[in-house]
Amino acid sequence: MNKTETQKTYKLVGLAVLTALIVVVQVLATFFPMKPVSITLALIPIVIGAAIYGKGAGAYLGAVFSAVVVIMCIFGVDLGGAMVWNANPFMCIVVCMLKGTAAGFCSGVVYRAISKKNSASLAGIVSPIVNTGIFILGLLLFFRPVLEVWAGGTDIVYYALISLAGINFLIELGVNLIVTPVIVRVVNVVQKNRTK
């Protein structure tokens, strides 16, 4: 096998491992919800894949995450997601697929666009911002009745930004900030040693 074929094989294996990790992490996270939505820890392998393999890989991994979310919504495993699915299945799919895919793609763009020193940290920041931002925007635009039920009389914009996304977003952001740069650094060292 030549060097190009070996690199392609390593990439395929790496993406397969990250894909499996995303599925497992997202399924497990669904069973520990922060009402009414669960925390998205699957952003970590998405950002790692985007940093190591590029924006296309990030978009692919984000789409895998999104597909798992949609499946959880359809089968009612994610109770908040089931409410969104029942309100408008088509827009549920659109919002879910867009938020995850965009989060992975944008992480890859940011990682490649800036200096390598802090790029994993910034990519780790971008991912939850894009994911949560599109989710909140989608709820406000297409799922106002669901938001009104969740808010229970509170202003829905305040509820969406502070109560719904606030704690989840801060946990996702904090975990991404701490874990992602460390893992990306370790993988980069391993890859450099492997190519020597």
Side-chain angles (χ1 to χ4, degrees), residues 7 9 12 16 27-28 50 55 67 70 84-85 90 92 96 106 108 112 116 119-121 138 169 184 192 196:
Q7 288 173 334
T9 302
L12 285 174
V27 168
L28 289 176
K55 61 188 176 196
V70 169
V84 171
W85 172 260
F90 176 74
C92 177
C96 286
C106 291
R112 295 286 185 246
K116 296 287 187 209
S119 55
S121 296
F169 172 75
V184 169
K192 284 179 186 173
K196 288 181 179 179

Side-chain angles (χ1 to χ4, degrees), residues 5 29 33 35 65 89 145 151 158 163 181-182 196:
E5 289 175 350
K35 300 212 177 180
F65 152 67
Y158 172 83
S163 300
V182 173
K196 288 181 179 179

Side-chain angles (χ1 to χ4, degrees), residues 5-88:
E5 289 175 350
T6 303
Q7 288 173 334
K8 286 180 182 178
T9 302
Y10 278 123
K11 182 177 180 178
L12 285 174
V13 171
L15 287 174
V17 169
L18 290 170
T19 298
L21 186 59
I22 287 167
V23 171
V24 169
V25 168
Q26 189 57 36
V27 168
L28 289 176
T30 304
F31 293 105
F32 301 100
M34 300 279 293
K35 300 212 177 180
V37 294
S38 56
I39 294 174
T40 305
L41 298 177
L43 293 175
I44 296 166
I46 293 169
V47 174
I48 292 166
I52 296 169
Y53 303 116
K55 61 188 176 196
Y60 158 74
L61 293 168
V64 168
F65 152 67
S66 296
V68 173
V69 171
V70 169
I71 291 167
M72 295 297 178
C73 293
I74 292 169
F75 289 105
V77 178
D78 181 335
L79 298 178
M83 290 177 72
V84 171
W85 172 260
N86 290 329
N88 188 336

Side-chain angles (χ1 to χ4, degrees), residues 41-158:
L41 298 177
L43 293 175
I44 296 166
I46 293 169
V47 174
I48 292 166
I52 296 169
Y53 303 116
K55 61 188 176 196
Y60 158 74
L61 293 168
V64 168
F65 152 67
S66 296
V68 173
V69 171
V70 169
I71 291 167
M72 295 297 178
C73 293
I74 292 169
F75 289 105
V77 178
D78 181 335
L79 298 178
M83 290 177 72
V84 171
W85 172 260
N86 290 329
N88 188 336
F90 176 74
M91 287 313 299
C92 177
I93 292 170
V94 169
V95 170
C96 286
M97 293 306 294
L98 181 62
K99 74 183 187 76
T101 305
F105 180 82
C106 291
S107 293
V109 169
V110 166
Y111 186 82
R112 295 286 185 246
I114 57 177
S115 72
K116 296 287 187 209
K117 190 171 186 179
N118 296 317
S119 55
S121 296
L122 291 173
I125 292 170
V126 166
S127 184
I129 289 173
V130 171
N131 183 60
T132 303
I134 292 173
F135 175 66
I136 295 300
L137 187 61
L139 286 175
L140 290 169
L141 290 175
F142 307 112
F143 300 101
R144 284 183 96 76
V146 173
L147 265 177
E148 289 169 357
V149 170
W150 290 348
T154 308
D155 177 66
I156 63 170
V157 174
Y158 172 83

